[in-house]
Amino acid sequence: MLSGCRRALPAALRLAVRGWAGGGGRRRVSTSWSPVGAAFDAKQQRSRQTGQSSGLFGVPELSSSEGFQEAQEKALQETEQLVQKACITPPGPQTVMIFDQLSDALCRVADLADFVKIAHPDFAFREAAEEACRNIGTVVEKLNTNIELCQSLKQLLANKEVMDSLDPETRQVAELFMFDFEISGIHLDEEKRKRAVDLNVKILDLCNQFLIGAHLPNKIDKHILPEHIRYNFSVEGNYIQITGLHADCSDDLVREAAYKIFLYPNAEQLRCLEELLTSRNHLAQLVGYNTFAHRALQGTMARTPEKVMQFLETLSDRLFQRTLKDFEIMKGMKMKLNPQNSKLMPWDHPYYSGVLRAERYNIEPSLYCPFFSLGACMEGLNFLFNQLLGISLYAEQTEKGELWCEDVRKL
């Protein structure tokens, strides 16, 4: 019922480009941004430093990392009250409203914590946010298998007179909450429901562990690499840290070293991935699906794994001939640029495809870069979301303690 927890407001933008100027045919770029675009192209003003810290995102509890515990406890207290209220409220629009408030109470903390655990530079904040994510995620999975809560929603959905009186949006929200109950195993006996909750929590932990591991650099004794390419990487003592693929580097050897070292098989990551996939499969079969893919796609536009595969096969067939042609061109490019080592290798594809695009379209970055400053892009997004969703963004001065980095802007 609450597995969504997706309440992020889309960023809004507007691209203020004025096309071609009349007469001379020269391209003209507007520099008169709205406050949104200007906020991203101008130097950040200092936050107001007077008074007490407002806390991250203006949440007073988050003036320190310990505040996540307090914010979490408040959310769980509110959740408990709303669950009790939902179980005694007669079927009607108020039932859906309570469910929505229940979801919101948890998501307000969970979504914020999910971002902070990735983006905050302070380890204490990241650790506290991760713990909050895990605790609230556990509560969410328990609520998704709460029989009394589900029964309250079932009574509403079974009451035709009440359902007919609801507006289409409210009816759809009620049905979506019931859908979350169903895919979480509400139909199972108590022992299996507990097993489903445990598997969901385990999957959350394994996902987090795997994603963190996927972004960790690999290190190698610096003496293994030729001295003339070491400067391309971070050196710590006797070790070189490889943090990425260096796919845009023109030096073949740098790309090869980065590819082989950064993607070198990691036994712990493989174990984590295997356990994650096994747990997902066990959960799917426990709640009545053939595979986790069938469960994940239920209720989506794709609907089934078979339709996804059909789409991918159709797409790959159409792309194959063009890809084959590009591959031959890239082989020719490498032979021309590096005749002593002309075989096209896996670490070459991103670099030579970039060279191919530049040659094919013959566009200098200096011609299009003025159109794509961060401010220009934010202007464009502001325009798009205003037209599509009626949302407008405004730049706002920040309070003390509201941000975690001077490069962050508040809209």
Side-chain angles (χ1 to χ4, degrees), residues 64-237:
S64 68
S65 58
E66 291 80 7
F68 270 107
Q69 180 67 28
E70 185 179 349
Q72 171 190 304
E73 288 173 358
K74 283 186 177 180
L76 296 182
Q77 288 173 4
E78 184 180 355
T79 296
E80 188 176 342
Q81 294 168 0
L82 287 167
V83 168
Q84 293 174 359
K85 188 176 179 181
C87 292
I88 62 173
T89 298
Q94 186 64 16
T95 305
V96 184
M97 181 65 72
I98 295 169
F99 271 76
D100 192 55
Q101 291 171 345
L102 180 56
S103 176
D104 190 54
L106 293 167
C107 292
R108 280 200 309 270
V109 178
D111 289 349
L112 188 153
D114 199 39
F115 174 75
V116 171
K117 76 177 185 181
I118 298 170
H120 204 286
D122 188 327
F123 175 76
F125 268 96
R126 296 199 304 272
E127 189 175 45
E130 185 178 331
E131 181 65 16
C133 278
R134 187 183 191 282
N135 292 338
I136 289 183
T138 302
V139 171
V140 166
E141 298 307 334
K142 288 180 178 178
L143 291 177
N144 284 339
T145 55
N146 184 306
I147 294 292
E148 289 183 89
L149 202 55
C150 180
Q151 192 59 37
S152 173
L153 191 60
K154 272 186 176 179
Q155 290 174 2
L156 169 66
L157 293 171
N159 192 321
K160 187 177 184 306
E161 182 179 349
V162 174
M163 287 297 290
D164 288 344
S165 71
L166 301 179
D167 61 77
E169 290 81 9
T170 304
R171 283 200 301 273
Q172 186 177 19
V173 170
E175 289 165 357
L176 287 172
F177 278 131
M178 180 54 70
F179 173 74
D180 280 338
F181 276 123
E182 290 168 350
I183 66 170
S184 297
I186 195 68
H187 54 285
L188 303 174
D189 60 42
E190 184 176 356
E191 183 180 345
K192 289 182 178 179
R193 287 200 309 275
K194 185 179 183 306
R195 174 66 178 152
V197 170
D198 292 341
L199 278 169
N200 266 309
V201 173
K202 183 179 181 181
I203 288 168
L204 288 174
D205 288 341
L206 289 169
C207 279
N208 188 57
Q209 181 183 336
F210 182 79
L211 289 174
I212 289 174
H215 291 92
L216 292 176
N218 273 341
K219 65 179 182 179
I220 190 171
D221 191 310
K222 68 180 182 182
H223 299 100
I224 295 177
L225 290 184
E227 188 173 355
H228 71 281
I229 69 168
R230 293 175 194 169
Y231 73 92
N232 290 279
F233 309 106
S234 299
V235 180
E236 291 188 5

Side-chain angles (χ1 to χ4, degrees), residues 9 11 18 94 102 117 126 131 171 173 236 279 282-284 306 310 312 314 322 382:
L9 190 67
R18 300 293 184 258
Q94 186 64 16
L102 180 56
K117 76 177 185 181
R126 296 199 304 272
E131 181 65 16
R171 283 200 301 273
V173 170
E236 291 188 5
S279 298
H282 287 165
L283 174 64
E306 291 76 21
Q310 182 183 1
L312 292 176
T314 302
R322 179 169 179 174
N382 194 24

Side-chain angles (χ1 to χ4, degrees), residues 3 17 33 74 104 124-125 219 230 273 290 300 312 354 380 394:
S3 61
V17 175
W33 306 126
K74 283 186 177 180
D104 190 54
F125 268 96
K219 65 179 182 179
R230 293 175 194 169
L273 180 59
N290 291 336
T300 68
L312 292 176
Y394 299 89

